[in-house]
Amino acid sequence: MQNHSGVDTLLISGAPMGFVAILGIVSLVGMVIRNSVILIDQIETEIGNGRPAWNAVIAATQHRLRPILLTAAAAILGMIPIAPNVFWGPMAYAVMGGLVVATLLTLVFLPALYVAWFRIQPVDACVGTENTAERSGVASKPAFAAKLTQYGSRLSLLLIALAARSRRAFHLSSSRQ
């Protein structure tokens, strides 16, 4: 999966693409891979603890949501003071823009990709149990989480389509020049 958001942020901010910006993009790749590995490891741990795969993906994503968001926010906020700097500014813009998009992709696209890759089917959490929430018309927490994951996978497909479309438009516009 290619993440051009760091480069896009450089274009928006007008910062030059130099060695320091490339250094920021390389560090961004490391942060994204770390978050992805931690989330996949958490999913595997949940499955190893006996949870059904569908519920394990949901539980792992919920469990890692706060740490991933907090580390991304800390890195983004830490880059703000050096963003106006001439030397370190391009790196700061690349990391800030890239982390915003990459964090959203990690928390939405990665679980959806995991479910699609391993062909995990939703588990009906209410089979064989008495569920008073369903009888009262209020959605239960597992049903809500399943619906949220379903919408997340649809959002991921939409994001992929938009990225492919914008990439084609970029290549078309650059070939005309």
Side-chain angles (χ1 to χ4, degrees), residues 1-176:
M1 171 175 38
Q2 294 179 349
N3 186 352
H4 297 287
S5 57
V7 177
D8 294 343
T9 309
L10 289 172
L11 290 171
I12 292 169
S13 68
M17 176 69 165
F19 174 74
V20 179
I22 294 171
L23 187 67
I25 292 170
V26 170
S27 69
L28 173 67
V29 169
M31 290 181 242
V32 171
I33 290 173
R34 181 202 64 217
N35 285 341
S36 301
V37 167
I38 289 172
L39 183 57
I40 296 294
D41 183 57
Q42 186 68 36
I43 293 171
E44 296 296 327
T45 301
E46 295 287 336
I47 292 172
N49 289 340
R51 281 193 187 215
W54 182 266
N55 294 342
V57 171
I58 294 168
T61 305
Q62 289 173 342
H63 183 74
R64 298 304 308 168
L65 175 73
R66 185 176 299 157
I68 289 173
L69 286 177
L70 287 175
T71 55
I76 292 167
L77 293 174
M79 293 291 161
I80 290 174
I82 62 171
N85 193 316
V86 172
F87 185 72
W88 296 110
M91 180 188 75
Y93 286 120
V95 170
M96 287 189 304
L99 264 180
V100 168
V101 173
T103 301
L104 293 175
L105 287 176
T106 301
L107 293 172
V108 174
F109 179 72
L110 185 64
L113 181 66
Y114 189 91
V115 167
W117 183 266
F118 291 107
R119 294 183 175 95
I120 298 172
Q121 297 298 319
V123 176
D124 188 9
C126 302
V127 172
T129 61
E130 185 131 341
N131 192 345
T132 57
E134 272 192 347
R135 279 189 271 134
S136 65
V138 178
S140 65
K141 188 173 182 180
F144 173 74
K147 198 63 118 170
L148 186 63
T149 304
Q150 180 184 12
Y151 289 134
S153 63
R154 288 181 183 167
L155 177 65
S156 299
L157 292 174
L158 177 67
L159 289 173
I160 292 169
L162 287 174
R165 185 175 178 190
S166 66
R167 187 171 179 183
R168 275 188 298 228
F170 176 74
H171 287 297
L172 288 175
S173 68
S174 63
S175 65
R176 291 180 188 157

